[in-house]
Amino acid sequence: MKPFRILFALVAALHIIPAELNASHGVRLSSKPLHVHLSYGNDPHSELVVLWTSQVKPHSVMVKYDVRNSDHLRQTALGRLVVAGEQLYVCRVRLEHLQPDTDYTYEIVSGDETSQKNVFHSLGPARSPQFIFFGELGVAGSQRLWRELHNWEVVHQNTQPAAVFGLGTIQNVDAYLTSLEDILSSVPFFPCDGVLSSIDPYRQYFSFPNSSWPFNVNQSWFSLDIGPIHFVSLSSELSLEGRDAQRLWLQQHLSSAMALNDWVVVCMHRPLYCPCPQQDWLDELEPVLEGVDLVLSGAPLGYFRSWSVSRGQVVRSYVEAEKPVHINLGVSGPRSPLRQDWSAFERNEAQDVVFALMTAPNDTHLHWQALWINGSVLDDLWIVKESNMRRFHPLPYYRHLPFVVLLLVVGSVLLALTFLIVFLKVKIVKWWFALARKPEASVTRYSHLEERIVDVNSRTFA
């Protein structure tokens, strides 16, 4: 038995020694959920994805959730994990069949550890959801952004943002997510594939709709529909093979997206229009983006906004221009020696952090507002497309449900009236024929009576 005891002690030591060594350096490894953030599933209106990291491989990956203010979290969802590095595991759980426009409370069960309770709001049929965008932040900038927006329900007019989009670089993904965890644990987050210090953690840390997880390095583009807006996120860091595949997917995808949505917004890290443009990047994508409403980027090249422009043709208007508007949500950058024809507004002084809010109040107006971190307005833009009023979209996001119900009610009433008219017409025709036959019946009856009278009289006189 002694050899077995020695073997058991060695196996136990292999598991204990690393933890003790880390403890000796003041670090205690655990399965406590870290870097908690949200994303949408394949159907943003009924699915939400919860992601977090753990230093120790947890024996269970689970999320408990229920409608907010419930006595107990009665619903559970199980997920899976992947290895993202040494002493680093990324866990992912998908919550399905969510009620629309509802507040939920959830907590993460990661092995023996349980997170604090967080709250999120599921998407509903709202016609004017709000979105937050930011470019280059860095760890210090993201911490400042959170301190300023910690009460964003009040800041944003009591409207919870439907999503947060990161257009800038993520150099240290752990520090990045830690600094924004209070926001991203309640609002889904979608980063663009920009310049990264390491692509592998990025692939595993984030989950995108209608994409595999972890996603393929050369297939890091995705799209999703929220309200009247169709979002497309492109990668500006692909290999030549990946760029060809992305362009082909974009060509096939945008034609249907433009037919089914009021607004199409494209996000990427590198801008197409800037003081120092990449001509090959511009020549490759610009023909495909014809008809897109807004193209957003977040490279550190300053803040600038273009007129409506495509293939060298500039329309100095944002009303029925039918060409994309390009905006780079950056801070300081190289100053252009000459003002470009396409440029409508530029600001590249090294000042504070910039973020932006975007809403679509209706089918015909899209509002973009860039703000300094202190709340002062840097830029304000309205894009108007009155032609959207003449378009009919087949039932995305409950927008036409009242119209369809009214159409069904009116159709049912008309059908009932049609049957009633046919029924009454048949009755009237029958009554008319019956009325027309009555004189003949009377004559026949009277003739028989006369014959009987004549017969009686003849017998009497006889």
Side-chain angles (χ1 to χ4, degrees):
M1 293 297 293
K2 188 175 181 180
F4 290 100
R5 291 180 182 178
I6 295 174
L7 180 62
F8 178 78
L10 289 174
V11 172
L14 291 175
H15 291 276
I16 296 173
I17 288 175
E20 290 179 346
L21 288 176
N22 281 279
S24 66
H25 289 82
V27 178
R28 178 182 175 272
L29 300 182
S30 71
S31 60
K32 178 183 178 182
L34 304 172
H35 314 125
V36 179
H37 56 288
L38 305 180
S39 180
Y40 285 122
N42 295 340
D43 181 7
H45 289 85
S46 63
E47 296 180 7
L48 198 78
V49 174
V50 184
L51 299 106
W52 70 92
T53 65
S54 173
Q55 297 172 327
V56 175
K57 183 177 180 180
H59 58 76
S60 63
V61 177
M62 181 172 60
V63 171
K64 296 181 179 180
Y65 65 103
D66 211 328
V67 176
R68 193 173 184 179
N69 298 326
S70 298
D71 295 335
H72 303 285
L73 302 180
R74 295 165 293 182
Q75 303 183 64
T76 59
L78 301 178
R80 66 187 185 97
L81 59 83
V82 295
V83 180
E86 185 179 357
Q87 299 173 350
L88 181 62
Y89 301 87
V90 180
C91 305
R92 178 181 181 269
V93 175
R94 185 170 62 179
L95 312 183
E96 300 178 311
H97 309 299
L98 299 175
Q99 301 176 24
D101 199 18
T102 304
D103 288 326
Y104 279 88
T105 301
Y106 75 95
E107 66 179 11
I108 296 170
V109 179
S110 180
D112 298 327
E113 300 281 350
T114 302
S115 72
Q116 66 178 11
K117 292 183 179 180
N118 295 306
V119 177
F120 68 85
H121 188 84
S122 60
L123 280 181
R127 291 292 297 117
S128 56
Q130 189 175 68
F131 307 92
I132 297 179
F133 296 84
F134 50 79
E136 295 291 338
L137 288 179
V139 176
S142 57
Q143 290 173 344
R144 290 196 58 209
L145 178 64
W146 163 240
R147 285 198 299 268
E148 295 294 332
L149 298 181
H150 70 282
N151 198 18
W152 45 260
E153 287 187 351
V154 176
V155 173
H156 305 304
Q157 302 169 354
N158 292 319
T159 301
Q160 177 171 336
V164 177
F165 289 84
L167 307 175
T169 302
I170 302 177
Q171 292 292 346
N172 187 332
V173 66
D174 291 330
Y176 187 90
L177 290 176
T178 299
S179 60
L180 289 171
E181 184 173 345
D182 289 331
I183 298 177
L184 305 187
S185 60
S186 297
V187 182
F189 176 59
F190 298 97
C192 291
D193 184 8
V195 181
L196 303 167
S197 58
S198 175
I199 190 68
D200 281 335
Y202 180 86
R203 291 176 52 236
Q204 295 150 349
Y205 271 55
F206 301 106
S207 174
F208 303 132
N210 300 300
S211 299
S212 60
W213 181 77
F215 61 83
N216 191 312
V217 174
N218 278 329
Q219 197 173 352
S220 53
W221 56 82
F222 65 92
S223 68
L224 73 157
D225 297 325
I226 302 179
I229 304 177
H230 181 79
F231 290 95
V232 177
S233 178
L234 301 179
S235 173
S236 56
E237 315 303 320
L238 293 173
S239 64
L240 182 61
E241 179 184 356
R243 288 166 61 177
D244 291 339
Q246 178 176 253
R247 185 176 63 253
L248 179 61
W249 171 82
L250 191 62
Q251 288 174 334
Q252 299 171 346
H253 181 77
L254 284 182
S255 57
S256 59
M258 292 177 185
L260 297 176
N261 295 272
D262 296 322
W263 303 99
V264 178
V265 176
V266 174
C267 304
M268 62 184 74
H269 176 64
R270 299 181 186 269
L272 295 182
Y273 283 84
C274 64
C276 307
Q278 289 182 289
Q279 195 61 40
D280 60 337
W281 181 238
L282 180 63
D283 295 340
E284 178 182 327
L285 278 185
E286 191 172 28
V288 186
L289 297 179
E290 192 75 33
V292 168
D293 299 298
L294 191 60
V295 180
L296 302 175
S297 56
L301 300 172
Y303 180 91
F304 50 82
R305 165 173 48 86
S306 75
W307 292 108
S308 303
V309 58
S310 179
R311 304 188 190 187
Q313 298 180 355
V314 179
V315 178
R316 294 178 176 270
S317 173
Y318 301 111
V319 179
E320 298 293 348
E322 298 183 353
K323 297 181 184 301
V325 178
H326 296 259
I327 297 178
N328 186 74
L329 189 61
V331 283
S332 61
R335 183 182 294 275
S336 177
L338 297 174
R339 186 68 176 266
Q340 307 290 330
D341 291 339
W342 52 262
S343 179
F345 179 80
E346 294 182 15
R347 190 69 176 269
N348 57 7
E349 291 83 357
Q351 294 197 18
D352 221 333
V353 175
V354 178
F355 68 99
L357 306 177
M358 188 179 73
T359 57
N362 50 50
D363 294 344
T364 60
H365 291 73
L366 186 70
H367 186 214
W368 168 271
Q369 190 175 57
L371 305 169
W372 296 111
I373 200 168
N374 60 9
S376 59
V377 177
L378 169 64
D379 189 23
D380 198 287
L381 169 69
W382 286 92
I383 301 176
V384 181
K385 292 198 314 183
E386 297 292 346
S387 58
N388 278 353
M389 296 181 65
R390 298 188 294 271
R391 297 168 60 187
F392 177 83
H393 313 287
L395 288 184
Y397 325 118
Y398 319 108
R399 293 207 299 272
H400 303 291
L401 187 58
F403 171 75
V404 171
V405 171
L406 179 62
L407 189 63
L408 291 175
V409 171
V410 173
S412 301
V413 171
L414 291 177
L415 187 63
L417 288 176
T418 302
F419 280 115
L420 181 61
I421 291 173
V422 172
F423 175 78
L424 292 177
K425 189 174 181 180
V426 171
K427 284 292 186 181
I428 291 174
V429 170
K430 287 183 177 181
W431 176 78
W432 177 262
F433 277 110
L435 186 64
R437 292 173 58 187
K438 278 186 178 181
E440 297 178 3
S442 301
V443 170
T444 303
R445 189 164 54 250
Y446 289 144
S447 62
H448 286 301
L449 183 60
E450 289 178 355
E451 290 176 0
R452 291 178 62 186
I453 292 173
V454 170
D455 183 55
V456 170
N457 289 337
S458 61
R459 289 178 182 178
T460 302
F461 288 109

